[in-house]
Amino acid sequence: MQEHGTNSSTIETNHLSEWILSAGVAVLYLTAAWAYTRADLALNLGASQLSIANAVLLALLSLAPFKAWPRHLTAMTGAYLLGTIALIDDGFSGPAIYLVASVLQVAPAAYYLRRYIIGKYEIDSLHGMLWIIAAGAALGPLLGTATILASSVLQANMGTSLGWVIARDWWLTAASSSILIAPTILVLKFRFNELVALRHRPRAYEALALLLTSTAAEVIIFSTPSSESFTISLPYLLLPFLIWGATRFPLPAVAAGMLLLGSLATLHTGMGLGPFVRLEEATGQSLQNLQVFLITAAVTGLVISCALTDQRRIGRDLVQVTDEAVRAAKAKDQFLASMSHELRTPLNSIIGFSEFMRVGAAGKIGEARFNEYLEDINRSAKYLLGLIEQVLDITRLGEAQ
């Protein structure tokens, strides 16, 4: 009875800790949506306020066991409904469809990552990262975008063209946020020790120099007030910094750097600064230009870093295979040396003594059949010695070739 009571209390404690974790998911989801809204980065598109929160939820669900999903989704729904009035001042029909679109966007992508990617591929491999990018940029936003498009078209005061605009903005916002945030969380979860170990390496000063120079370049490019003379190609001058980081540092450092770059670029654009804010364009176009840049930068940094990581991993595997081949060759040489000494020496002794006894040098043998036995022993030993010599000759011939 006492053991049963102990097990019951343990189960209750586990349930409590799981619900606390779900509450943490809700708080994190609501905080992300609130922060994005308070930064005034929606640019007249209320749906985009949920992009960061959905990207965080995508990563958390990908890491959580399936049995915890109902609690996490319930907590997310509650947090969303509690923040409806504060986050989106658009009546209930808008927030309701955004909630449905968010669930349809996050759940299928997280299910695919959890079931087929996480744990089956290295998180820093090119194959695994490409599937993570595809899930965050295509599989997830596809159903969410379709839901937003259908809802927009069905509303009496919206036409098909406006519905396509809203759906396009939803997809771009969801894709850019998912590519920036979800891989960063997943990489830091599985490879955080590589980021911590970076401070003990000689390249720590190089990492600090890269961080300072890239941040300074971003501030110079994006902190300038908008002007018609600015071109939207200026931010792409930051890509060499990403390539520098991807070729020199592990994936966690690259992902963290990209997240910092994306956050600063989004913050400045939301403040009306930088080359993406053009005086003659609508605010939605500024957001679209920013999102295209973020997607391009994130994919460039992640793909290059993972490709180089795969190359280094293949190099380590080749070194390991080479070492194993060298050890196998040494073992073969030792075996041949042992065969040459440990087998031929006793066989020569058997042959010699059988010959010695057969000719009667040690005295006559009483029965004739014993001579026949000695003849068999001598013949068999010579035959076995000949086989061993052939094996050794073939082995030496193979080594010579």
Side-chain angles (χ1 to χ4, degrees):
M1 292 297 294
Q2 184 177 1
E3 182 179 356
H4 177 72
T6 304
N7 292 334
S8 300
S9 62
T10 303
I11 293 175
E12 292 177 358
T13 303
N14 291 335
H15 282 310
L16 180 60
S17 62
E18 290 172 353
W19 276 107
I20 291 176
L21 180 60
S22 298
V25 171
V27 171
L28 186 59
Y29 186 86
L30 185 61
T31 302
W34 175 84
Y36 198 65
T37 303
R38 295 297 296 174
D40 196 24
L41 300 175
L43 299 178
N44 298 325
L45 295 172
S48 64
Q49 296 173 0
L50 301 174
S51 59
I52 293 180
N54 288 337
V56 173
L57 184 62
L58 171 62
L60 294 179
L61 288 182
S62 300
L63 297 172
F66 288 121
K67 65 179 182 179
W69 279 32
R71 291 191 305 273
H72 291 343
L73 291 175
T74 301
M76 181 271 285
T77 303
Y80 182 89
L81 295 178
L82 288 175
T84 295
I85 298 178
L87 298 179
I88 303 177
D89 189 13
D90 192 25
F92 185 74
S93 61
I97 196 62
Y98 292 158
L99 174 61
V100 174
S102 297
V103 174
L104 291 177
Q105 170 185 319
V106 172
Y111 176 84
Y112 179 81
L113 293 177
R114 177 65 184 175
R115 186 171 182 84
Y116 299 106
I117 304 301
I118 304 298
K120 296 186 177 180
Y121 295 98
E122 294 289 343
I123 199 69
D124 54 357
S125 67
L126 182 60
H127 196 168
M129 184 54 65
L130 287 177
W131 280 117
I132 293 174
I133 292 175
L139 177 61
L142 180 63
L143 292 177
T145 301
T147 304
I148 293 297
L149 177 61
S151 173
S152 302
V153 172
L154 291 176
Q155 290 187 27
N157 58 342
M158 288 189 179
T160 304
S161 60
L162 183 57
W164 278 110
V165 171
I166 296 178
R168 178 203 64 193
D169 293 333
W170 175 281
W171 179 84
L172 282 174
T173 307
S176 59
S177 299
S178 297
I179 294 176
L180 269 177
I181 297 174
T184 301
I185 295 176
L186 294 175
V187 167
L188 291 179
K189 164 65 178 178
F190 294 103
R191 295 290 188 269
F192 183 74
N193 58 327
E194 296 181 8
L195 184 62
V196 175
L198 193 62
R199 62 190 177 93
H200 300 298
R201 298 179 180 179
R203 285 186 294 175
Y205 293 108
E206 182 184 355
L208 180 60
L210 174 60
L211 176 62
L212 294 178
T213 54
S214 60
T215 303
E218 194 281 336
V219 170
I220 293 173
I221 292 175
F222 279 92
S223 62
T224 306
S226 60
S227 172
E228 295 183 7
S229 61
F230 266 58
T231 62
I232 61 174
S233 60
L234 279 178
Y236 292 90
L237 295 176
L238 297 173
L239 291 183
F241 292 101
L242 283 177
I243 297 175
W244 177 9
T247 56
R248 294 290 295 167
F249 302 104
L251 182 60
V254 176
M258 288 191 312
L259 185 60
L260 175 62
L261 171 65
S263 301
L264 292 176
T266 305
L267 178 62
H268 285 124
T269 303
M271 296 169 59
L273 301 174
F276 292 135
V277 180
R278 306 294 295 273
L279 298 179
E280 73 278 7
E281 294 178 349
T283 54
Q285 185 64 36
S286 301
L287 180 63
Q288 180 181 346
N289 294 334
L290 170 66
Q291 291 161 346
V292 172
F293 165 72
L294 294 179
I295 292 174
T296 303
V299 172
T300 300
L302 292 174
V303 168
I304 292 178
S305 180
C306 291
L308 293 176
T309 301
D310 279 350
Q311 186 179 20
R312 288 189 288 268
R313 186 179 292 115
I314 292 174
R316 291 193 297 267
D317 292 341
L318 289 176
V319 171
Q320 181 179 359
V321 170
T322 303
D323 292 340
E324 291 177 355
V326 171
R327 287 194 295 269
K330 291 181 179 179
K332 184 189 70 173
D333 293 339
Q334 293 175 357
F335 171 75
L336 293 177
S338 175
M339 178 182 292
S340 177
H341 176 73
E342 300 297 337
L343 294 181
R344 288 197 300 179
T345 300
L347 283 174
N348 287 326
S349 298
I350 293 173
I351 294 172
F353 280 110
S354 62
E355 287 279 358
F356 186 74
M357 296 174 66
R358 188 168 60 87
V359 299
K364 295 183 178 181
I365 298 177
E367 297 187 19
R369 60 192 178 102
F370 289 160
N371 288 324
E372 296 178 359
Y373 294 158
L374 289 173
E375 183 70 26
D376 291 338
I377 293 172
N378 186 269
R379 184 171 55 251
S380 298
K382 288 181 178 180
Y383 176 75
L384 183 58
L385 182 61
L387 289 179
I388 295 175
E389 293 289 351
Q390 290 179 8
V391 170
L392 293 176
D393 291 339
I394 293 174
T395 302
R396 296 189 188 100
L397 181 61
E399 291 178 350
Q401 292 178 348

